[in-house]
Amino acid sequence: MENIVSHHTDHHEEHEAHESIKIDGFWLFLVSDVLLFGALFATFIVLRTHYAEGPTSQDLFDVKEFTIETFVLLTSSFTSGLATLEMNKGHVKSLITWLIVTALLGATFVGFEIHEFSGMVSEGYKMSTSAFLSGFFTLVGTHGCHVSLGLIWMIGLIIQVARRGFTPVTERKLSIISLYWHFLDAVWIFIFTVVYLIGVM
Amino acid sequence: MKHIESRQASHGSTTSYIIGFVLSILLTILPLWLVVNHVLNRTALIVTIMIMAALQFLIQLLFFMHIRESEKPRYNVLAIILGIVFVITIVGGSAWIMTFNSQVQ
Amino acid sequence: MEPKFKISHFFIHGDPLILGADVSIGIATVMIIFVLTYFKKWKWLWKEWLTTVDHKKIGIMYVIAALLMLFRGGVDALLMRTQLALPNLKVLLSEHYNEIFTTHGTIMILFMAMPLIFAMMNIVIPLQIGARDVAYPFLNAISFWLFFFGAMLLNLSFVIGGSPNAGWVGYPPLSELQFNPGPGENFYVLAIQISGIGSLATGINFLVTILKMRTKGMRLMDMPLFTWSVLATSILIIAAFPVITVTMLLLFLDRFAGAHFFTMTHGGDPMMYINLFWIWGHPEVYIVILPAFGIFSEVTSVFSKKVTFGYTSMVVSMMLISFYAYFTWVHHFFTMGAGAGVNTFFAVSTMIIAIPTGVKVFNWLLTMYQGRIRLTEPMLWTIAFIPCFAIGGATGVMLSIAPADYQYHNSYFLIAHFHQVLIGGTVFGMFAGLTYWWPKMFGFKLNETLGRWAFWLWNIGFYACFMPQYALGFMGMTRRIYTYGWDMGWAPLNLISSIGAVIMGIAFLFQVWEIAYSVKYGERDTTGDPWDGHTLEWSLPSPAPKYNFAVLPEVHGRDAWWKTKEAKERGDYEEKKQELEPIHYPKNSGIPFILSVFFFIAGFGFTFEWVWMGALGLLGVAICLIVRSFQYDTDYYISVDEIKETEAALRGEV
Ligand code: HEM
Ligand SMILES: [Cu+2]
């Protein structure tokens, strides 16, 4: 009997070690994503004055719009942190609530971005207008795609947690998505600074 | 439930999230204000807002992503630092290398 | 939107070469299907291979795929050398010549060298560090299948749609829509993209495996040097591959969405592509050489019966190389004219990287010095590597002198340099590794006599092929020309070079023969330790059971297995009887394969700009990922009884 019990805890610990190792891998993924954005930033910076015949950044960016966007994403990063706190306390319901808030804020952010992009396109400023705009759409759009993927993923996770509650696996997944979400906010800070603020200077 | 208890100690508190949030807001508003009101000359302004962005990045890492709280050895800290060194190399290097372009054009 | 490519673009006609390829691919497919059906092997193929998550099997699949790609790339090479053997030949038209050097380079670097190092990593790393698997077995399977389908996508271009023709570096503006309206460059971009995701995942997987899954007692500084080399390579993969992903994405957007990153108009800048490409490209060449360094360290130590000389300096120099490799990329485009400051900086950084490389060469030599050397096949490859790499390194340093490079750049001197380091370094290294670990993979040794034939032919062929190319470079022959006149005076050296290439082709045939012969007659490895090895993989039976270690070993210091053997000999080895416990093991899964098929479909669709098909493929990918995310029952326990049975059978006790 004793033997069986000790086995059981062993398996349990093994399982947790297994889950924590996935978080390590995710950190490395984030580092590689940092490099991905690094290459996009490098391209944007090199091409940022290549307006060709197209509009300049001063013509395009609307301070009010990108400020709101920034605060929406920043707040969502905060609420996703609150969700993590609820997970640590073991409260499934409030965790899910905060995740939903986070997802809604994320969706608002994406909505703003789509609005911004479609406004530009409807004025005839497209990817093909100039190297500057190619760089802009690609850098900001890649970030937007990351956020959108995060949204889908978050919804999937909400369903999983609602069904299963807290297990080592769902907890690991929740930790990972919150890392991802904070990371996206961190990348946005640089888009905010390098693309928008310097752009309107 | 063991895993839940063991997490509790390590994943920050409401206060740390609030501090992080407030600092982030400040570090967003400040550069915005500086830029909109043209407070400094161009170069100084760029340097200042880049520093603030870097600070905010650090705040995300410390207060939200709890990078300090991983178990030792902290490979993830090492990895992030190495990543940042490489990113600075890519961005700075490319900008430097490609400046010839503006000379030629 | 009116689809740009119609079915009429699909099959290429009017060329006997391609018709021949079409026919032989058709026949081969039919034959494979027939054989599988006749011997009722479909189920076996699916259960044992296509769905496996076992790193050893994945490693073997990498070996097979890489050798096939070596064959394909080798045929390309022979075609080129035939065309260049004498002046004014018309074996290939100029367009075909362009296509063939493009696919040759892309295949050899990305679909031959990379999978071969992945093969070695997969087969060896968990065994060497006393682990039961890699950190993420499922992801590992995804990596393999993404590589595989990426490679298939590129190979398909030969018969469908037309091959890319802008070189393995794919420089714009030549690779842009304006000069390359066909689907060829799309194949290139998307194949690299798909396999690149897999490579990145492999980098992450092995870095975590090495950092987190080492067995009890193995500190970082106790790790075998091959493990260290894979650690260094993994860091470089994680740092470099995101950049090629971006580069290919931007080129794709130029071609597909009318962006202007690298175009000649609207402010685009082709030079930025070159810059980005080499930010990845230079680390990439070190990604493929570092594991070879690791293999040479293992081999010299085992076959000299000595511990590696200067272990610490070996580790330090590998880590330095993997760091510096990120700071030298401009040496590939000194001639772009970025100015004296830039060129000087990168010339010096390039020369610096030769120093740790030199340290390693001396360490290998000193490891062999006064050792009891056994000239087995792995050792032969290692010994041949050293002078070869010394020349390659020296010519590399010549190339790194920026002003001199204005002469050498894109001449045959450059071609000779990188073949010297890639063949003499990476390929010889992988041959050493393959022959060294072959018994561990399959349970039998490769035939030494045939191996020696292959070895000598490879070496003779290699020097005959590439030494003349240095001279040709000085004589003004530039890379990528498809023909030349008698008046240039290049004919004799080119002829020698082509003969050398044929000899290497024959050498490859000997290797095929060697493998085929050994399957039947090769010496069986019953001990699990045929070379009297030093590291943990040799403590296991060959081939190792799927869970590798029935009981995880505890090690103290370097060369753990050697120490154990010595202790046993001295008689002061006490075997700790450890209870067997059930082993946690991942279940096989079809998702990696299916997901990669969807990636392939998406890649194919976007290649022909059939958006519906691309979208369909991506949808399939998304569904696979979601299905996986909702799967919770992904592992099981191997029971103690099953372990006991397996172990008894392996040790011949049944
Ligand atoms: C000892 C260290 C090395 C030095 C100093 C060195 C230096 C160089 C330089 C300066 C070039 C550019 C020449 C030009 O384009 O004009 C070059 C090209 C190249 N090197 Fe090396 N190299 C070294 C080792 C290696 C290794 C180990 C590999 C691969 C295993 C390698 C593979 C290549 C390749 C593939 C190219 C040319 C690619 C192309 O343009 O298509 N090199 N090397
Ligand atoms: Cu290089």
Side-chain angles (χ1 to χ4, degrees), chain C residues 282 285 331-332:
Chain C
H282 185 79
V285 305
H331 66 223
H332 292 276

Side-chain angles (χ1 to χ4, degrees), chain C residues 71 403 430 643:
Chain C
F71 175 73
M430 293 308 126
I643 302 169

Side-chain angles (χ1 to χ4, degrees), chain A residues 11-171:
Chain A
H11 290 174
H12 195 76
E13 270 161 28
E14 201 176 295
H15 213 97
E16 274 195 14
H18 230 79
E19 297 308 325
S20 91
I21 225 174
K22 293 198 172 147
I23 299 183
D24 296 323
F26 195 74
W27 269 104
L28 291 179
F29 165 74
L30 287 185
V31 171
S32 75
D33 227 22
V34 166
L35 282 146
L36 185 122
F37 279 107
L40 287 171
F41 270 107
T43 312
F44 177 81
I45 289 172
V46 167
L47 300 176
R48 54 178 279 275
T49 53
H50 294 214
Y51 301 125
E53 319 286 71
T56 66
S57 46
Q58 278 99 337
D59 302 339
L60 280 180
F61 299 149
D62 174 17
V63 177
K64 211 174 92 199
E65 188 158 340
F66 72 71
T67 309
I68 297 174
E69 252 181 293
T70 304
F71 277 105
V72 169
L73 196 64
L74 185 58
T75 313
S76 84
S77 183
F78 177 62
T79 55
S80 112
L82 296 182
T84 313
L85 282 177
E86 295 304 326
M87 175 183 91
N88 293 344
K89 292 185 200 141
H91 301 161
V92 178
K93 280 230 177 83
S94 30
L95 165 98
I96 291 179
T97 315
W98 282 121
L99 278 186
I100 291 174
V101 174
T102 309
L104 286 177
L105 287 167
T108 315
F109 171 86
V110 175
F112 267 106
E113 198 166 302
I114 292 174
H115 178 253
E116 184 191 12
F117 279 16
S118 55
M120 290 179 186
V121 170
S122 67
E123 281 176 55
Y125 305 145
K126 291 185 288 232
M127 194 98 152
S128 53
T129 306
S130 68
F132 156 67
L133 276 178
S134 306
F136 167 78
F137 280 119
T138 308
L139 172 58
V140 181
T142 304
H143 179 269
C145 285
H146 273 75
V147 177
S148 311
L149 282 180
L151 280 178
I152 298 173
W153 184 10
M154 205 175 268
I155 294 166
L157 255 183
I158 291 173
I159 298 173
Q160 291 179 26
V161 178
R163 274 203 207 155
R164 292 170 186 271
F166 292 130
T167 69
V169 178
T170 53
E171 281 196 16

